[in-house]
Amino acid sequence: MATKIRLQRGGRKNYAFYSIVIADARAPRDGKFTEKIGTYNPNTNPATVDLNFERALYWVETGAQPTDTARNILKGEGVYMMKHLRGGVKKGAFDEAVCQQKFDAWKQAKVAATEAVEKKVTDAKKAAAAQNLEAEKKVNEAIAKKVADKKAAATAAQAEAEAAKAAEDTTSEAPAEEAPAEA
């Protein structure tokens, strides 16, 4: 039986979520599988991978052929690195302790790089939010200035109207008072 390590699609439309499975090469993509060894969520930034490392390493060492995407995921998680290091142990190049030490150093570098990417994404989001806030404040200040100008213009127009009315009242009251004085 030709065994493959591949992704089995799940999730809703436009929001894919994958299971990493061991399946017969003749089985359909979302059909029967031998074992589920992990999950892959490409919707997060960076993508989230949850993998049973020991089972993945076992299947790679026994000859299961991964698809291109599954191979990239396994390389990113260090399965192929460990396979390579175990090959060095079998050949006598170094012992198991050195193998584990090299793998741990590689894993720490990988984790540091991932954390740097996450920090960069978080900082970019914060900077974008701050920039949007500043832009919104400027827009709000401009709107407030326009409203204040309109209110000032309305107040000035109302004051002019009242002054004109008061002047009209005083001019109309003055001749009315003079008329009885003439009579």
Side-chain angles (χ1 to χ4, degrees), residues 2-3 5 16 47 54 71 78 80 89 99 106 135 147 164-165 167 178 182:
T3 335
I5 301 174
E54 294 301 320
R71 183 181 297 112
Y80 276 94
V89 171
C99 169
W106 177 86
V147 169
K165 186 178 179 183
E178 291 175 10
E182 292 175 4

Side-chain angles (χ1 to χ4, degrees), residues 60-134:
V60 167
E61 287 180 340
T62 55
Q65 294 297 312
T67 60
D68 292 339
T69 307
R71 183 181 297 112
N72 288 336
I73 292 169
L74 295 175
K75 282 182 181 179
E77 291 297 306
V79 173
Y80 276 94
M81 178 70 164
M82 182 57 93
K83 180 184 177 194
H84 172 73
L85 291 172
R86 281 191 175 179
V89 171
K90 287 179 185 174
K91 292 178 182 177
F94 43 84
D95 63 346
E96 188 67 35
V98 174
C99 169
Q100 191 61 41
Q101 185 180 21
K102 286 183 178 186
F103 181 75
D104 290 340
W106 177 86
K107 192 69 171 176
Q108 286 177 349
K110 180 79 174 169
V111 167
T114 304
E115 288 175 354
V117 168
E118 289 175 354
K119 186 178 185 314
K120 185 177 177 182
V121 168
T122 305
D123 291 344
K125 283 183 181 178
K126 285 181 182 177
Q131 187 177 9
N132 289 344
L133 182 64
E134 289 298 320

Side-chain angles (χ1 to χ4, degrees), residues 158-174:
Q158 185 179 8
E160 286 179 16
E162 288 178 3
K165 186 178 179 183
E168 184 179 297
D169 288 344
T170 51
T171 56
S172 62
E173 287 178 9

